[in-house]
């Protein structure tokens, strides 16, 4: 009658860090959110430096180019700093979350056909499968986004449990 499935996760911070900070996602200047802005800022900065070197060769009419490129550089720096701030805040949130996981004695996932519950030290977050807006179920992790956002590394559970969760995610989130 009760078709609830319970999966206990083994908490190893490195397993979670491998997924969260894979590639350059933890980099302030070269993460996916900041790489383009960093490159653009460097190019505009280089152009501005070249213009400053040759500023003595400009006539008064062409001096506006220097002001315009300076303004573009300032805009690029502002957009880059906003993007870096977002990455920095995300990184701090992830590190704080990983610290709570390290201290957790209980980390379980419980689900059935309708409900999905995550239990961390008896602090339960329950939602319906329909409340998830997207999911990614790959070889290294399963990520769920919606009312709550979750990421479960494959290394934190047995291969059989990972397959069961992967199938449940594919079946219940469309």
């Amino acid at each position: 009658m009760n078709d609830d499935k319970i999966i206990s996760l083994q908490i190893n911070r490195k397993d979670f860090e491998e997924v969260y900070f894979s590639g350059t996602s933890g980099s302030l200047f070269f993460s996916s959110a900041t790489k383009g802005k960093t490159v653009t800022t460097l190019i505009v900065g280089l152009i501005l430096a070249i213009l400053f070197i040759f500023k003595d060769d400009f006539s008064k009419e062409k001096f506006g180019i220097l002001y315009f490129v300076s303004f573009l550089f300032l805009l690029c720096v502002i957009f880059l700093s906003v993007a870096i701030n977002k990455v920095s805040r995300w990184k701090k949130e992830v590190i704080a979350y990983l610290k709570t996981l390290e201290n957790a004695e209980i980390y379980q996932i419980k689900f059935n056909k309708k409900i999905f519950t995550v239990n961390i030290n008896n602090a339960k977050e329950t939602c319906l499968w329909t409340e998830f807006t997207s999911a990614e179920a790959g070889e290294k992790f399963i990520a769920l986004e919606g009312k709550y956002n979750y990421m479960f590394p494959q290394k934190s559970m047995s291969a059989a449990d990972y397959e069961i969760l992967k199938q449940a995610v594919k079946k219940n989130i469309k």
Side-chain angles (χ1 to χ4, degrees):
M1 186 184 278
N2 188 359
D3 60 347
D4 286 354
K5 175 66 179 157
I6 297 175
I7 298 174
S8 292
L9 284 84
Q10 296 83 35
I11 302 166
N12 183 352
R13 184 178 177 138
K14 289 187 180 191
D15 295 340
F16 285 83
E17 285 177 344
E18 275 181 29
V19 176
Y20 279 118
F21 302 126
S22 65
T24 59
S25 59
S27 172
L28 292 180
F29 290 100
F30 294 104
S31 70
S32 60
T34 58
K35 185 177 183 178
K37 293 172 180 68
T38 300
V39 170
T40 303
T41 302
L42 290 173
I43 291 171
V44 173
L46 180 65
I47 292 169
L48 183 62
I50 292 170
L51 289 175
F52 265 113
I53 291 170
F54 296 110
K55 72 178 180 189
D56 294 336
D57 297 339
F58 289 162
S59 64
K60 286 187 178 184
E61 295 82 27
K62 293 183 180 178
F63 220 77
I65 295 171
L66 188 62
Y67 293 123
F68 178 72
V69 174
S70 297
F71 177 72
L72 283 179
F73 180 70
L74 179 64
L75 282 177
C76 289
V77 168
I78 290 170
F79 285 128
L80 177 61
S81 66
V82 169
I84 287 172
N85 189 28
K86 285 181 184 178
V87 171
S88 177
R89 275 190 278 134
W90 170 81
K91 200 172 175 180
K92 285 179 185 175
E93 289 173 7
V94 168
I95 289 170
Y97 171 69
L98 293 177
K99 283 182 183 177
T100 62
L101 285 184
E102 274 184 330
N103 300 327
E105 294 177 18
I106 300 171
Y107 190 13
Q108 293 179 330
I109 304 168
K110 180 179 178 182
F111 59 91
N112 58 32
K113 292 178 182 177
K114 294 184 179 188
I115 297 173
F116 186 87
T117 303
V118 174
N119 178 5
I120 301 175
N121 282 342
N122 293 320
K124 296 178 182 179
E125 295 176 341
T126 302
C127 59
L128 300 172
W129 281 106
T130 56
E131 293 176 313
F132 289 111
T133 55
S134 67
E136 182 179 344
E139 294 302 314
K140 294 186 177 199
F141 66 93
I142 294 173
L144 305 172
E145 292 184 18
K147 180 180 176 183
Y148 301 107
N149 296 327
Y150 301 110
M151 188 281 302
F152 308 110
Q154 186 272 330
K155 292 180 179 180
S156 66
M157 61 188 91
S158 70
D161 285 343
Y162 187 78
E163 274 306 309
I164 291 169
L165 180 60
K166 192 174 175 182
Q167 295 307 317
V169 166
K170 288 181 180 179
K171 179 180 171 187
N172 291 302
I173 300 176
K174 293 167 174 72

